[in-house]
Amino acid sequence: MRNTLQNRLDTRSAWILLLSASMLSGCAVGPNYHRPPVQTPPAFHGPDQAQQTEPQTASFADLPWWQVFHDPQLQELIRTALKQNYDLQIAVERVSAARAQLGIIRSSQFPQVTLDPVFSGGKTDQNIKSNIFSLAGDVVFQVDLFGRYRRATEAGRAQLIGTQDAQQTVVLTLVSDVASDYFLLRGLDLQLQITKETVRTQEDSVKLTDLRLQHGVATTLDVLQARQVLDAANAQIPDLERQIGQTEDAINILLGKYPDNVPRGQPLGIESPTGWNWSETLPPQLPTGLPSKLLEGRPDIREAEQNLVAANANIGVAKAMFFPQISLLGSGGAAFGHSQFVGSNIPAPLGVGTYAAELSQPIFEGGALRNNLRYAKSQERQALIGYQQTIQRAFGDVSDALIGYDKYHKVRERQEQSVKDLQDSVNVSLMRYRGGTSNYLEVLDSQRSLFSAELTLAEARNNEYQSLVQLYKALGGGWK
């Protein structure tokens, strides 16, 4: 009876000690995180800055990618990339690893319990038989009196969130890269189409010039000049086919596939008697949203902030190492069985238990703790600088994309007019040549200029699409 009462008192004392230590662990040394103030510009720098007198609450980046890129084939390519891309799979695994690492760090806040079961038995020369089962257990609890483990958990949680933001950055980059390469592929297809049409047109011109030479109304020089544009166009075809093949390879790598052909959707543009008809109508301007909203829309900015949160928490970990470390220890066990000697049973001991508290205070570490704190503070300052730099670069990305989208749009419109004027020039020069009022050099110059202008128009349209993709990415769209 006395032993039972004593055991209850010992258990109650242990729980009182544990509860007291837990109550004392309410404070945590080190600075609490507060988002550093960021002065964002009132408007994005760009050609339409003067028109941003009224804040635009809506943003182009708020649209999901399937509402931005309307080509069904491009949408299917993006879906495939989001399922199979290896960079994205690695990013997902990094999130899983960071979650597991957080669990490892957080486990230090809980008691560590171990059990040691033992079964023994046998018979001695004196005919003593025994069968004993014993079970011993140990409990170790590190009292987080100064918040060392809580700060470490705070840092681990921030690193997990930052890893998730990094995964979203991979998604954003992947969507924009697939769209960018697809538009590049369609632009190259258009250039190849223009080149092949020029070859067919020039083959007819060469035949016509040969026929005129046979009838004595043209010279050999006219025939040679007619072949110049044909030869130049034929020389473009292999290089364009090379670029198309390599772009297809790049797209397939993004899709997580081996190099292969890429199915096409809508053509980039079709030439008609009234001008060029493009597959998608791009507005001259797009809403950008509030500049302050960029801090929440870009996952790379949020990742940089979580790195800052983790670095700030690690300062608390470094400071807590200056203070005593308290450990609560407990052990207990019991044995069950019997021992026979000369026909009588001798019962085994029923149980035993102990508890203790330990305190460890660093006295001299050769400057290790002080330099560890300096290191943590330096890491925090580096994270702050990196956070500010990421924000600055983000605004630079948006500004570049806005300027590029506006200017490429204007270049394409003016290049369309240039192609139309040159087409008229070719028609007039051909009429003058057939009427005998000019030589073939005039026709040759017009055709050469038209061919070059059409290729430039295809490139300008591709640049316009590329700037659309870059603006969408710069504003933080594509990962939601």
Side-chain angles (χ1 to χ4, degrees), residues 178-400:
V178 172
S180 178
D181 285 353
Y182 181 78
F183 287 134
L184 174 59
L185 179 63
R186 302 306 282 140
L188 292 170
D189 287 341
L190 180 57
Q191 292 185 47
L192 182 61
Q193 173 189 336
I194 292 171
T195 303
K196 289 183 176 180
E197 289 178 356
T198 300
V199 168
R200 287 192 293 269
T201 301
Q202 290 306 118
E203 286 176 344
D204 293 339
S205 296
V206 170
K207 291 178 182 179
L208 176 61
T209 309
D210 282 335
L211 183 61
R212 289 172 62 84
L213 176 62
Q214 294 173 11
H215 288 80
V217 293
T219 65
T220 304
L221 181 60
D222 292 339
V223 176
L224 295 175
Q225 290 175 338
R227 290 183 179 276
Q228 290 181 16
V229 177
L230 176 61
D231 294 339
N234 276 320
Q236 290 274 2
I237 291 177
D239 186 60
L240 289 171
E241 292 175 340
R242 173 192 61 80
Q243 296 180 59
I244 288 173
Q246 292 176 347
T247 305
E248 287 181 320
D249 291 347
I251 291 176
N252 277 290
I253 294 300
L254 291 174
L255 302 184
K257 298 180 178 180
Y258 289 102
D260 198 355
N261 295 326
V262 173
R264 276 33 167 208
Q266 302 174 6
L268 197 63
I270 300 175
E271 188 177 11
S272 67
T274 58
W276 282 85
N277 297 323
W278 305 107
S279 58
E280 293 189 29
T281 302
L282 302 184
Q285 291 181 353
L286 293 169
T288 58
L290 296 172
S292 58
K293 193 176 179 180
L294 189 66
L295 304 181
E296 301 298 334
R298 296 250 312 204
D300 58 334
I301 294 179
R302 298 202 311 274
E303 179 188 1
E305 183 179 10
Q306 291 304 320
N307 292 336
L308 178 58
V309 173
N312 182 81
N314 284 330
I315 294 178
V317 175
K319 285 186 175 181
M321 295 178 69
F322 284 89
F323 296 92
Q325 305 296 315
I326 301 176
S327 301
L328 301 181
L329 309 174
S331 63
F336 310 91
H338 69 277
S339 177
Q340 294 182 345
F341 180 68
V342 193
S344 61
N345 290 333
I346 300 176
L350 295 179
V352 65
T354 62
Y355 59 88
E358 293 183 356
L359 184 145
S360 175
Q361 170 64 56
I363 300 298
F364 178 72
E365 298 286 346
L369 296 180
R370 184 170 59 254
N371 284 294
N372 185 53
L373 178 59
R374 289 176 181 172
Y375 176 79
K377 289 182 177 180
S378 176
Q379 291 292 102
E380 191 270 342
R381 288 192 294 270
Q382 292 179 49
L384 175 60
I385 295 171
Y387 175 62
Q388 295 170 336
Q389 185 182 44
T390 303
I391 295 174
Q392 183 188 64
R393 289 177 176 173
F395 277 90
D397 292 341
V398 174
S399 176
D400 291 346

Side-chain angles (χ1 to χ4, degrees), residues 26-104:
C27 63
V29 298
N32 294 322
Y33 176 75
H34 299 284
R35 175 181 286 184
V38 177
Q39 297 295 330
T40 59
F44 292 110
H45 175 247
D48 59 342
Q49 186 175 3
Q51 303 176 13
Q52 299 182 30
T53 54
E54 297 183 2
Q56 299 176 343
T57 56
S59 173
F60 176 51
D62 294 334
L63 297 175
W65 56 262
W66 56 87
Q67 293 183 12
V68 174
F69 309 120
H70 303 117
D71 190 329
Q73 186 57 54
L74 173 56
Q75 293 179 359
E76 184 61 29
L77 293 175
I78 293 176
R79 291 190 187 96
T80 302
L82 293 175
K83 293 178 182 178
Q84 301 179 183
N85 179 264
Y86 286 110
D87 288 335
L88 184 54
Q89 292 181 42
I90 292 174
V92 171
E93 288 303 319
R94 285 174 178 165
V95 172
S96 299
R99 186 175 288 111
Q101 185 66 27
L102 174 61
I104 295 172

Side-chain angles (χ1 to χ4, degrees), residues 3-21 328 353-356:
N3 291 336
T4 303
L5 181 60
Q6 183 64 36
N7 289 337
R8 289 180 178 177
L9 292 174
D10 292 345
T11 303
R12 183 176 298 175
S13 300
W15 279 109
I16 292 174
L17 181 60
L18 180 62
L19 180 61
S20 301
L328 301 181
T354 62
Y355 59 88

